Amino acid sequence: MADAVSTYHVVTEVEEPKNEWPAWLLGKKFTLPHDEEKLQDRIRSRLWFSYRKHFRAIGSSGLTSDTGWGCTMRCGQMLLAEALVRHHLPDWQWKEGCAGDNVSYNWLLKQFLDLPDSVYSIQQIAQFGVDYGKKVGDWFGPNNMCQVMKKLAAYDPWSNLAVHVAMDLTVIKDEIRQAAYTPLPQVGGAFTSLPPGP
């Protein structure tokens, strides 16, 4: 019996791996396997938007699902959400049971709900796409999505976000500086509510 217990003890011991390797996620380096839990926390903290169905119809189109045409819109939402989280909540990490505790985080999430009065909703994105020759239900290319996000950002005074879209594969630093330092236009409308103060 003593040999069996001893054997069991030896078998269950875990040796520390001798090799380490880097892993990168959105510009942050993790050393694996040492930082694996931190990496998992970081992955869980990213916002993820995907196709949905049974949301309120988009305008008079009758569409209640974005399956087959909303992929670029959802990618644009994720990109913008990541930028807003980094801007407003730079050190925030999602932990089970804690999401409801952060007023700013909850307010930010509400801006992406699939509701007509959420500034970055699929309904708003699709309807603003009409200005760029897209019918509700049309697939957007990356440029269409960027142009719509630029326009919608003007309706989000809380974020104070300037979106610059580089055209013709050319980044012009002066245009970026101008966008960053020019006061945003004050656009009235249904999206001007701000989150409660701290």
Side-chain angles (χ1 to χ4, degrees), residues 80-149:
L80 185 60
E82 178 66 23
L84 294 176
V85 167
R86 287 183 183 202
H87 178 66
H88 293 292
L89 306 160
D91 298 320
W92 187 83
Q93 291 278 8
W94 184 87
K95 296 283 184 191
E96 192 165 343
C98 77
D101 298 339
N102 191 305
V103 173
S104 294
Y105 178 76
N106 288 327
W107 191 87
L108 191 148
L109 285 179
K110 288 178 183 176
Q111 305 317 301
F112 293 91
L113 291 176
D114 289 335
L115 298 172
D117 59 346
S118 295
V119 67
Y120 300 116
S121 68
I122 194 78
Q123 287 91 339
Q124 292 303 324
I125 294 168
Q127 289 182 325
F128 270 69
V130 171
D131 292 346
Y132 299 97
K134 297 291 184 180
K135 293 182 290 186
V136 174
D138 281 355
W139 177 83
F140 278 29
N143 183 58
N144 300 121
M145 187 61 211
C146 292
Q147 296 295 344
V148 168
M149 284 296 165

Side-chain angles (χ1 to χ4, degrees), residues 23-60:
W24 293 86
L25 178 64
L26 297 171
K28 184 164 177 62
K29 182 180 180 182
F30 298 88
T31 303
L32 298 179
H34 176 71
D35 293 333
E36 186 170 352
E37 188 173 325
K38 290 179 184 176
L39 175 62
Q40 291 297 326
D41 286 344
R42 185 98 171 152
I43 290 169
R44 279 190 289 274
S45 298
R46 307 292 54 92
L47 296 177
W48 180 54
F49 303 109
S50 184
Y51 293 126
R52 295 197 187 110
K53 57 185 176 179
H54 306 300
F55 50 70
R56 288 190 195 164
I58 301 174
S60 61

Side-chain angles (χ1 to χ4, degrees), residues 169-181:
L169 304 173
T170 305
V171 175
I172 301 171
K173 291 179 183 179
D174 287 340
E175 289 180 1
I176 295 171
R177 279 189 205 96
Q178 182 179 1
Y181 294 110

